[in-house]
Amino acid sequence: MEADAPGPSRVPGRRAVLLGGAALGLAGCRAGPAPAPSARQADPARVDALLAARSAAVLAGDKAGFLATVDPAEPGFLARQEELFGSLAALPLAGWAETVAELDGGLVTVRVAHRYRGFDTADEVRTGHLRVGPAGFTGDGGDGRADDAQIWSRGPVEAVTGAASLVVGSGPLRQIAALLDAAAPRVTAAVGPDWARKAVALVPVDGEHARALAGDRDLGEVVALATARPNADGSPGRPRILVSPETWPRLSALGRRVVLTHELTHIALDAGSDTTTPMWLVEGFADYVGYLGTSVPTRKAAAELAAEVKAGKLPDRLPDAAAFGTSAPRLSQSYQEAWLACRMIAETHGRAKLLALYRAARTLPEPEALKRVLGVEDLTPAWRAYLRAHLA
Ligand SMILES: [Zn+2]
């Protein structure tokens, strides 16, 4: 809006001071009189140079260089940018690049790409907005132009790096890192060594932040989620474990171990980009690995399902994808049904066959995968008998 555009209060002198030392936007200018940029349309080359200077400053840990791209006449924005720099400086960034996606007057739509050292093999790309004036950046988007959520967009963040984990956000980062470090070898024992054997987890500040980071997906009672939100340019996003800060504190120590092992199993099997494997196999396998090595009694771990089975109500088929929706009425039972189906397969055919079934079902229709790997086309009768035997 016009009211936010650079106004007469930005005196030319300030601009000269800012540009003088940093050579921002001047590199590449041809000799001779350049047309003066209009007050409304920012000079694209200058915006490119400002963003390049910001990006280099982030990677160099150069706070002064970063803040030199901000108009000093905007103390509120300057303070927010100082806080942002503090957050970014706390992260093990191997890459950080802000570039122009679109320039509309003084509004810059920014492509923000980052990757974590030792964890990411490609960039995570999101969209942000900045306003630019003659003396540097003057503010963020405003006018309802919402930036994509980032873990640092709701206040200061820290990072904890473990043997197999990088945990970013605010809250019990160390605890989560330790649990992921302990879970990684268990996941490798279950799925084999052919995965990264480490993962990035994000701990947002509240449920709203978690929802935004999950791609506007309500986490409801979900404690953690393995995501791979597509990048702003449509390329595949980076796998992340998102921990719900509101439900996490309510979990027991055992629950936390099971949940993080479950999510790490999803990461190891690339579940975030998998749209073909049946959900009962995806969720059941992750819970199977999650519960491995724990001594929690089956009737306790599957309490809701056990109550139904005891009352004579046996499910007549494996849960479908809809049964795993966050607001599905029998969500707990669906997970328990899937877990016990996978446990039954592992006990009957061996763990290697369970993994082979998982991998086969990614490309084959379920009955064909079952027949090829286990020699049966329908698991239902054996599964129902197993539920009765363990829960009734
Ligand atoms: Zn899951």
Side-chain angles (χ1 to χ4, degrees):
M1 291 278 96
E2 205 52 35
D4 296 330
S9 68
R10 321 286 159 87
V11 294
R14 187 178 300 121
R15 177 186 177 201
V17 166
L18 203 87
L19 296 182
L24 297 173
L26 297 178
C29 279
R30 276 182 221 112
S38 82
R40 303 191 56 192
Q41 180 61 45
D43 172 15
R46 184 169 162 272
V47 177
D48 285 345
L50 276 170
L51 287 176
R54 257 169 88 85
S55 303
V58 168
L59 289 174
D62 174 9
K63 183 174 170 179
F66 184 80
L67 294 179
T69 67
V70 178
D71 184 342
E74 298 287 348
F77 182 57
L78 190 66
R80 293 204 299 283
Q81 290 287 288
E82 192 168 357
E83 183 185 286
L84 170 65
F85 183 85
S87 286
L88 298 180
L91 306 179
L93 291 169
W96 176 270
E98 289 178 281
T99 48
V100 176
E102 200 187 323
L103 184 58
D104 178 12
L107 177 70
V108 194
T109 303
V110 185
R111 178 187 188 275
V112 185
H114 79 278
R115 66 173 75 188
Y116 292 120
R117 177 172 294 109
F119 287 85
D120 289 331
T121 52
D123 286 341
E124 168 141 323
V125 182
R126 300 285 170 241
T127 299
H129 299 87
L130 287 169
R131 291 200 167 268
V132 68
F137 294 114
T138 59
D140 29 40
D143 297 345
R145 286 185 175 83
D147 293 355
D148 286 340
Q150 303 266 26
I151 189 63
W152 50 79
S153 47
R154 289 283 306 279
V157 296
E158 292 176 18
V160 170
T161 305
S165 59
L166 169 64
V167 188
V168 181
S170 55
L173 308 186
R174 259 170 222 297
Q175 180 190 52
I176 291 166
L179 286 165
L180 285 172
D181 290 351
R186 292 197 296 269
V187 172
T188 299
V191 309
D194 187 22
W195 68 290
R197 282 170 276 157
K198 55 192 171 181
V200 177
L202 306 177
V203 189
V205 294
D206 58 21
E208 194 188 316
H209 194 199
R211 180 193 179 111
L213 286 170
D216 201 24
R217 181 169 161 194
D218 189 5
L219 294 196
E221 289 297 295
V222 170
V223 178
L225 193 65
T227 70
R229 208 155 48 103
N231 281 335
D233 56 10
S235 60
R238 298 296 88 214
R240 302 285 189 249
I241 294 172
L242 195 57
V243 178
S244 165
E246 289 172 353
T247 38
W248 177 261
R250 308 209 301 256
L251 274 194
S252 66
L254 174 70
R256 289 171 183 168
R257 171 192 156 145
V258 171
V259 161
L260 287 185
T261 309
H262 174 116
E263 300 308 331
L264 200 56
T265 303
H266 283 328
I267 297 275
L269 293 169
D270 195 20
S273 67
D274 180 356
T275 55
T276 48
T277 308
M279 281 294 273
W280 69 264
L281 199 44
V282 173
E283 296 304 338
F285 190 92
D287 258 0
Y288 168 72
V289 181
Y291 280 111
L292 271 181
T294 69
S295 54
V296 54
T298 307
R299 282 186 184 83
K300 195 175 167 203
E304 290 87 351
L305 183 60
E308 290 182 0
V309 172
K310 259 192 219 128
K313 224 175 96 191
L314 264 182
D316 51 19
R317 58 195 150 88
L318 287 159
D320 60 14
F324 292 96
T326 47
S327 54
R330 294 179 69 257
L331 183 59
S332 295
Q333 288 92 331
S334 299
Y335 277 92
Q336 293 156 7
E337 289 166 4
W339 167 47
L340 292 172
C342 288
R343 203 180 79 175
M344 176 193 77
I345 294 167
E347 287 174 5
T348 312
H349 302 270
R351 199 190 292 177
K353 287 278 187 189
L354 173 61
L355 181 62
L357 174 67
Y358 191 107
R359 297 204 189 280
R362 187 152 186 167
T363 51
L364 296 174
E366 183 178 331
E368 206 180 322
L370 283 170
K371 191 165 186 196
R372 194 175 292 189
V373 179
L374 304 182
V376 294
E377 258 182 68
D378 184 7
L379 277 180
T380 314
W383 169 66
R384 296 182 82 216
Y386 187 86
L387 294 184
R388 200 181 292 113
H390 286 87
L391 299 178

